[in-house]
Amino acid sequence: MTTSRTGRDGRPLVTTDMAAYSLGKSPRQFRDWARRRDVAPAGFRPNPARGQPLALWDLADIADAVRSASPVV
């Protein structure tokens, strides 16, 4: 888990909602998708609503998972 706010490629870490939107999925669908591809959050930040901490995802990890799932032609 990283403690900085940027991922491996220098882009900012994103919340579950933002990561889900980037793939056209709901947050629940995204978490299921990430679990099936062994993609884990890169960090966490406190939830302003005082609930469970918000997961932060590395877009580079998501891109790697998308590329590995795509068929090579």
Side-chain angles (χ1 to χ4, degrees):
M1 173 170 45
T2 61
T3 56
S4 67
R5 294 282 186 194
T6 58
R8 291 185 291 129
D9 59 359
R11 291 184 286 181
L13 299 178
V14 297
T15 63
T16 302
D17 289 339
M18 293 167 25
Y21 180 81
S22 72
L23 294 177
K25 299 180 179 299
S26 71
R28 182 177 182 158
Q29 289 172 322
F30 172 76
R31 286 189 298 269
D32 291 342
W33 176 88
R35 191 176 308 113
R36 286 191 306 271
R37 285 163 180 78
D38 294 324
V39 177
F44 295 91
R45 75 170 190 210
N47 188 336
R50 298 183 185 250
Q52 192 172 15
L54 298 174
L56 297 173
W57 302 86
D58 187 345
L59 292 173
D61 293 341
I62 295 169
D64 289 346
V66 168
R67 274 190 230 107
S68 68
S70 300
V72 177
V73 278

